[in-house]
Structures are given as structure tokens and as C-alpha cells.
Amino acid sequence: MRSRSTHLVIPDPLTPGEVAIEARGITFTVGQRELLSGVDLTVHAGEMLALIGPNGAGKSTLLGALTGDNHLTSGSVTLAGTPLHEWTLKQLARRRGVLLQDNGVFFPFTVEQVVEMGRAPWLGTARDNEDEVAVREAIESTDIHHLRQRQVPSLSGGERARTAFARVIASRTGILLLDEPTAALDLKHQEDVLQLARQRAANGDAVVVVLHDLGLAAAYADSITLLQRGRVAAAGTPAEVLTSERITAVYEHPVEVFPHPVTGALIVQPVRR
């Protein structure tokens, strides 16, 4: 049996309903520009929360604050009850998986090698015996099995996006932070990715996802935080946040929100003259 250093600690799994991420009064300023102002946000284990808002509203900036990539001007973020600044990078890598907008890989790694990178945080721990299964399941669930031996620079934008998402899925962390995971995808793969994220939440993970498509947010999210100019304009269930009046005002374009006649799911549609 291989010896393992005492610092290779496996984090306890989150319990359903436990607060996975909590942000309180966070402000982020670059130069003279305040990109986030007094933002509060709570995400629970077993919940999928969507961040929505117009271009420049602060969605990706907020996600960067939750990952620790954006150092706050003021306010606090806790991850699984511990202040974010107290986590080491290795500890963070075992607690949350992050998918950024810019996920390009330009070195000639194969798809399988990139997905295997998602297992790096578990090297030398008791969970490294999951590597083979985790990589295989991530590749199959993201529909990239036929691309396994392709070099990533040869892929289309959508294929690269699915490869990057598979890397995050393979990490098997209890918290997923996803920045526009559907942006480069066709209709089928948009649904596949969000169904997979939804399933992870149903299995007890906490999922935060930045989305531009309000219909997808309505269909898949348990809760929504709507941002406007760096502030929270509304937060709650899809039905509470996605009203015609509010979305019309925030996006500065007339929008209709109505239930699907068969399923009752919310449909969000711009008014086209």
C-alpha cells in the first residue's frame, strides 16, 4: 500500500441543504470602476443556482469572486463554512471544480489527457483509485468518446467546450462553478450539459452556473440571482425572478414570460415587432 502524506486530506462530503457557498456584501473594484457592489449570495448542497443578467452585469466577475480568482475590495466569501482565503489551492481543487469562459487548450494534448487533468487534485489520496472510472464516465456523459484520441487544437469550439466540461466533471468535487458552459454548444449538447449539471445537484452537489439563455435558466435552475450593473436586482425561484416586467426593465427590451401550455414550464421570449 502506498504511503500518503498527512496533508493529503479528503474533504468531508456536503450534506443535503448545507450551505456550500456564502457571499456577504462583496464588492470588487478595478481602478475607479465598481464591478460588484454589496452582493449577497447563498448556495446550498443539492441546489443549482443560475447567475443571469445583461452583458456587463457582473456575472463572470461574481463567479470569479466565488472561485477566489477575483480578490475582493470588501465583503467575504465562505466555502463549506470556511473563509475562502483560508483554503490552500490544493484544498480548493478538491472541494470545487471550475469551468471558465476561456477554456482554450492550445498544446497538443489529446481529449482524454485533458479530461485526466481533472483527477490531478486526488493524486496520492485514497480517491485516486477512482481515476479510470471518473474519466470514462465524464467522457461518455459529455458525448466525446469518439474524440478521445483527437488533439484538442483540432476540435471545434463546441467540442473543446465539452472537453473542458468533462475535465470538471471528472474531478468529482462537491461544488461546481460553471461560467457559460453552453455558450459554444448546439441545442442537443446544451441540454446534455445542463441535464448533467442538474443531475449533479440532484445527487447533492452545489452548482452555480452563469447563463445567458433565460429559458435554460428557467428550465434547469432551482434558484436564480439576477444581476444588474454589479448589484443583485432579484433573487429567488425562477417564477419569482423571471417576470415580464422585471426582465423587460433589466434587459431594456420588451419580454414575455408565460407558462408552457402542456408542461407549465416558464417560457421567456423577447417581443419581436
Side-chain angles (χ1 to χ4, degrees), residues 4 22 25 115 117 133 176 181 213 236 246 257:
R4 294 184 171 92
E22 187 171 43
V115 179
M117 293 176 188
V133 172
L176 298 179
D213 189 315
R246 178 178 291 119
V257 181

Short mmCIF file of all heavy atoms in Angstrom, two decimals, residues 4 22 25 115 117 133 176 181 213 236 246 257:
data_model
loop_
_atom_site.label_atom_id
_atom_site.label_comp_id
_atom_site.label_asym_id
_atom_site.label_seq_id
_atom_site.Cartn_x
_atom_site.Cartn_y
_atom_site.Cartn_z
N ARG A 4 0.83 7.77 2.20
CA ARG A 4 0.24 9.04 1.79
C ARG A 4 0.55 10.08 2.86
O ARG A 4 0.43 9.82 4.05
CB ARG A 4 -1.27 8.91 1.60
CG ARG A 4 -1.64 8.00 0.42
CD ARG A 4 -3.15 7.99 0.21
NE ARG A 4 -3.51 7.31 -1.02
CZ ARG A 4 -3.79 6.02 -1.09
NH1 ARG A 4 -3.75 5.29 -0.01
NH2 ARG A 4 -4.10 5.48 -2.25
N GLU A 22 -21.24 30.93 0.59
CA GLU A 22 -21.96 32.10 1.10
C GLU A 22 -21.13 33.35 0.84
O GLU A 22 -19.96 33.42 1.23
CB GLU A 22 -22.24 31.96 2.59
CG GLU A 22 -23.13 33.07 3.14
CD GLU A 22 -23.57 32.79 4.56
OE1 GLU A 22 -22.72 32.35 5.37
OE2 GLU A 22 -24.75 32.99 4.88
N GLY A 25 -21.98 40.84 1.22
CA GLY A 25 -21.57 42.21 1.00
C GLY A 25 -20.33 42.36 0.14
O GLY A 25 -19.53 43.27 0.37
N VAL A 115 -9.08 15.52 -20.01
CA VAL A 115 -10.06 15.07 -19.01
C VAL A 115 -9.35 14.48 -17.80
O VAL A 115 -9.76 14.69 -16.65
CB VAL A 115 -11.05 14.06 -19.63
CG1 VAL A 115 -12.05 13.57 -18.58
CG2 VAL A 115 -11.80 14.70 -20.80
N MET A 117 -6.71 15.46 -16.53
CA MET A 117 -6.21 16.55 -15.69
C MET A 117 -7.17 16.87 -14.55
O MET A 117 -6.75 17.39 -13.51
CB MET A 117 -5.97 17.80 -16.54
CG MET A 117 -4.85 17.67 -17.54
SD MET A 117 -4.72 19.15 -18.59
CE MET A 117 -3.51 18.60 -19.80
N VAL A 133 -12.45 5.19 -13.69
CA VAL A 133 -13.91 5.24 -13.80
C VAL A 133 -14.39 6.67 -13.98
O VAL A 133 -15.27 6.95 -14.80
CB VAL A 133 -14.57 4.60 -12.57
CG1 VAL A 133 -16.07 4.81 -12.59
CG2 VAL A 133 -14.24 3.11 -12.51
N LEU A 176 -19.63 22.79 -8.07
CA LEU A 176 -19.29 23.10 -9.46
C LEU A 176 -19.59 24.57 -9.72
O LEU A 176 -20.69 25.05 -9.43
CB LEU A 176 -20.11 22.24 -10.43
CG LEU A 176 -19.91 20.73 -10.36
CD1 LEU A 176 -20.81 20.05 -11.39
CD2 LEU A 176 -18.46 20.36 -10.59
N PRO A 181 -21.31 27.45 -19.60
CA PRO A 181 -20.92 26.15 -20.16
C PRO A 181 -21.64 25.80 -21.46
O PRO A 181 -21.21 24.89 -22.17
CB PRO A 181 -21.32 25.17 -19.05
CG PRO A 181 -22.46 25.85 -18.36
CD PRO A 181 -22.11 27.31 -18.37
N ASP A 213 -28.96 32.33 -21.64
CA ASP A 213 -30.27 31.89 -22.11
C ASP A 213 -31.24 31.81 -20.92
O ASP A 213 -31.12 30.93 -20.07
CB ASP A 213 -30.13 30.52 -22.79
CG ASP A 213 -31.40 30.10 -23.51
OD1 ASP A 213 -32.50 30.24 -22.94
OD2 ASP A 213 -31.30 29.61 -24.65
N GLY A 236 -34.28 34.49 -6.15
CA GLY A 236 -35.38 33.63 -5.73
C GLY A 236 -35.56 32.49 -6.71
O GLY A 236 -34.65 32.14 -7.47
N ARG A 246 -39.94 42.68 -14.76
CA ARG A 246 -38.57 42.79 -14.27
C ARG A 246 -37.54 42.56 -15.39
O ARG A 246 -36.58 43.31 -15.54
CB ARG A 246 -38.31 41.81 -13.12
CG ARG A 246 -36.88 41.85 -12.61
CD ARG A 246 -36.68 40.92 -11.45
NE ARG A 246 -37.40 41.37 -10.26
CZ ARG A 246 -38.35 40.70 -9.65
NH1 ARG A 246 -38.72 39.51 -10.11
NH2 ARG A 246 -38.94 41.17 -8.58
N VAL A 257 -43.09 36.51 -20.48
CA VAL A 257 -42.85 35.29 -19.72
C VAL A 257 -44.20 34.62 -19.50
O VAL A 257 -45.12 35.23 -18.96
CB VAL A 257 -42.18 35.59 -18.36
CG1 VAL A 257 -41.93 34.29 -17.60
CG2 VAL A 257 -40.87 36.35 -18.55
#
